Each structure stands twice: as C-alpha cells, then as structure tokens.
Amino acid sequence: MSEIPSTMLGWVKAEDRPDGFLQKELPVPVPKHGEVLVKTHSTSICGTDLHIWKWDEWSRANVDLGTVTGHETCGTIIGVGEGVEDRIGEQVSIECHIACWACPRCEEGNAHVCENGSIFGVHKHGAFAPYFCVPSINARTNPSDLSLPLASIQDPLGNAIHTLTGGPVEGSTIAIHGLGPIGLFSVMVAKMMGAEKIIAVDWDNKFRMDLATRLGADVVLGKDDDVVRSILEQTDGRGVDNSCEFSGSPEAIKNAIRSTRMGGYLNVLSVYGNELIDIPMNDIVFRYLHLKGINGRKMWGTWEKMHALFSAGFDPSPIITHRFPYHDFKKAMKIVSDGNCGKVILEFEVD
Ligand SMILES: NC(=O)c1ccc[n+]([C@@H]2O[C@H](COP(=O)([O-])OP(=O)(O)OC[C@H]3O[C@@H](n4cnc5c(N)ncnc54)[C@H](O)[C@@H]3O)[C@@H](O)[C@H]2O)c1
Ligand SMILES: [Zn+2]
Ligand SMILES: [Zn+2]
C-alpha cells in the first residue's frame, strides 16, 4: 500500500444553498485516541445526503457548512490512534451513529439513540473523501463472504432490517411505503425472512416499482391506485400486520396508518422535510397501532441479523444500479435526485 498523503480532495457542503458542494483540498485526518484511519473504498449515497443536497429545513438545522458529508461507507484500516491495536489492514464498514457508551440509553442497549450521540458525515466529517477517521468501535469488520464493492450498503440495509423487524415479518403481511433503496432492500429482506405477502408502494417511480416486482413484491401500487383500499382488499379487509414508511411523504404515512390491521405495527424510518404534518391520530388510537420511530441500526443486534442474512446467501447487488468515480459526485447526485436508480455508489481510488 502506498504512503499516506498529507492532503486529499474531499467533497464539502460549502455554500448555503441547494447543491452548494465544492471539491476542496483538505488535510488527511489523523486518528485520535481510540480512532482508526480508513482509506475509503466506496461510499454510497443516502436519502439523507439528498436532503443535504436539497438543503431543506432538517439539513439546515443539522449540518454545519464546511462539513465533509457521506456516511455509508467501507474501506481498509490504514492507521490507528492511541489505544487501538491490531487492526491495520482490516476491511471494515462504518456504523455512522457515534455513541458515548456511558449514558443510560447506551447502557440499556440503545446506543443508536445515545443521549450524547452524533452522526458521522452529518455532524462530523464523513466519507465523501478518500480518507476518514472514526472511533474504532464504529468500524465493523466485514463478513468474509461480502465483496468490498458492496460493503458500503450495510448502513441502509441495516436501516431496512431494523425497520422491518420492528414488527412481525415471517408469515406476516407487509406493506412497504416508498421504494427508494431502503424500501427496495426491505422488499428483499421481507422475502428472505419468509413474509406471507409483500405490498410495495411508491408514488410514480416506475423504475423502482418495476425493480420491486423483480425483487419479489407480490403487489406493487402507485399514484393511480387507491392505496388504502387496495391494501385492505389484499388482506381480507383487515390491513397488513406490519407497515414500514420509507417515503417521507405525509400522504404515505396517512395511507399506512389507515391500512395497518387492528393492533398492527407501523414503523417509520423516513425523515420528513417539514417537521409538522397532519396525521389521523384517532386512527392510531382506535386501531391500537404500535407506532414506532426507527433511527439507525441496533448496535449491534441489527448488524448481527444482517451478517446472518449474508451467510444465508443474501445478495444486495440487484439494488446497486449505478457506480461513479468519486470525482463525479455531482453527476451521481443528479441521478439520485432524478430517482431513476436504486443504490448509487461512489468509488475511490484503491491500491
Ligand atoms: N431514521 C433514520 O435513521 C434514517 C436513515 C436513513 C434514511 N432515512 C430516511 O429514510 C427515507 C428513505 O430513504 P431512501 O433513500 O430509501 O428513499 P428516497 O428518499 O430515495 O425515496 C423515497 C421514495 O418514496 C417515493 N414516494 C414519494 N411519495 C410517496 C407516496 N405518497 N407513497 C409512497 N411512496 C412515495 C418516491 O417516489 C421515492 O421513490 C428518507 O426519508 C431518508 O431521509 C432515515
Ligand atoms: Zn444513510
Ligand atoms: Zn450514550
């Protein structure tokens, strides 16, 4: 492996406007105590990166100008800070939730919602750059049967698994609202976990709706369908056991509330561009719904479930539709904004 350079070209959210990204020369970071330095192999683009690109209300409140964003990533450990031993050369993928490991939430096993937590690539510099530092514990060793080019998708795949398993899956009826990459991963995971029926819903993204059919969705609905009525018809009038909301659309969450069975589960991962939306509250009450917000991945239960899926032969490659060299970040963001894609990956120069 070549020597570590002192500077690198990284993508920085630099300007207070939609897009607003500049490729800048930056120092290669030096790992602090407990951290590792990773040479980036690939970084995939997340729905959250699209929010930052669009510079919506949520992004303006959460991302400082000057941040290197990008958090779904994998690479090779090439340096370690004090207190970290024996990790050079390991191939790792990153858990982007950085936890304190000492607060009550961390102690009860909910480090993904650590009271002092922050997000790599949102609140701190991330991985739209050729090198980055993270706490050693956040660099998860890749399963040996997972090829490195696919490894960056463990963050969104983990989101899908965490959301889906917020309710019953095996032998259950499932509705997936929003067929972005995480919704598509959920279709695949629900199929692999033995769901009885999978109803996949998007608005008008034909590319993704067709992909959902190929991935094994039993029914695919869109804007021309009466979503609530169709889901009720598909479930003997009851509604599905488990609804997952991945669209960020106020319309979709209303549909999900009204098409989940009595006492069913509604798990919401989406980030909504505007915080305040109208929802049919009495439906939640009278339908006795378990409504759960989902954030990140359980550390490390979700990662263990995901690695078990890989061992059982789970292959995420049909969802990875585009790869770009990292200098073409803006081209890649344009594809992500247009939405005619599954997962889009930026590839870095590797030795
Ligand atoms: N909470 C977390 O930890 C976390 C982590 C990652 C992503 N997210 C959020 O999860 C969501 C999903 O991300 P993604 O990248 O998979 O998807 P995305 O944002 O790329 O795609 C959303 C999809 O929803 C579809 N859609 C729009 N209106 C709809 C409607 N009324 N009904 C059904 N579908 C509709 C769109 O056509 C699109 O295909 C985003 O909001 C993202 O910000 C949350
Ligand atoms: Zn993400
Ligand atoms: Zn904590």
Side-chain angles (χ1 to χ4, degrees), residues 267-336:
N267 300 297
V268 182
L269 183 89
S270 292
V271 175
Y272 295 84
N274 294 308
E275 186 120 38
L276 293 177
I277 55 175
D278 289 330
I279 53 168
M281 201 55 217
N282 288 344
D283 270 294
I284 296 175
V285 174
F286 292 120
R287 298 179 80 85
Y288 191 44
L289 297 187
H290 302 74
L291 171 64
K292 189 173 180 185
I294 305 282
N295 193 353
R297 294 140 298 278
K298 289 283 269 185
M299 296 150 72
W300 305 101
T302 306
W303 286 81
E304 284 155 12
K305 282 184 191 148
M306 180 159 58
H307 290 181
L309 282 176
F310 287 130
S311 297
F314 183 85
D315 175 12
S317 50
I319 294 175
I320 298 164
T321 55
H322 297 77
R323 295 160 188 264
F324 289 94
Y326 89 101
H327 297 295
D328 287 342
F329 172 70
K330 295 208 177 193
K331 246 190 232 169
M333 284 310 298
K334 168 98 178 54
I335 300 274
V336 174

Side-chain angles (χ1 to χ4, degrees), residues 203-220:
W203 180 244
D204 59 356
N205 192 315
K206 179 123 182 16
F207 181 96
R208 292 171 170 180
M209 290 159 81
D210 289 347
L211 188 48
T213 305
R214 292 201 298 281
L215 294 172
D218 299 289
V219 180
V220 179

Side-chain angles (χ1 to χ4, degrees), residues 44-49 70-72 96 119 122 155-156 159 182 297 343:
S44 40
I45 297 174
C46 175
T48 303
D49 298 312
H71 57 274
E72 297 180 0
C96 66
I119 312 277
V122 172
D155 168 312
N159 286 140
I182 304 177
R297 294 140 298 278
K343 198 68 185 163

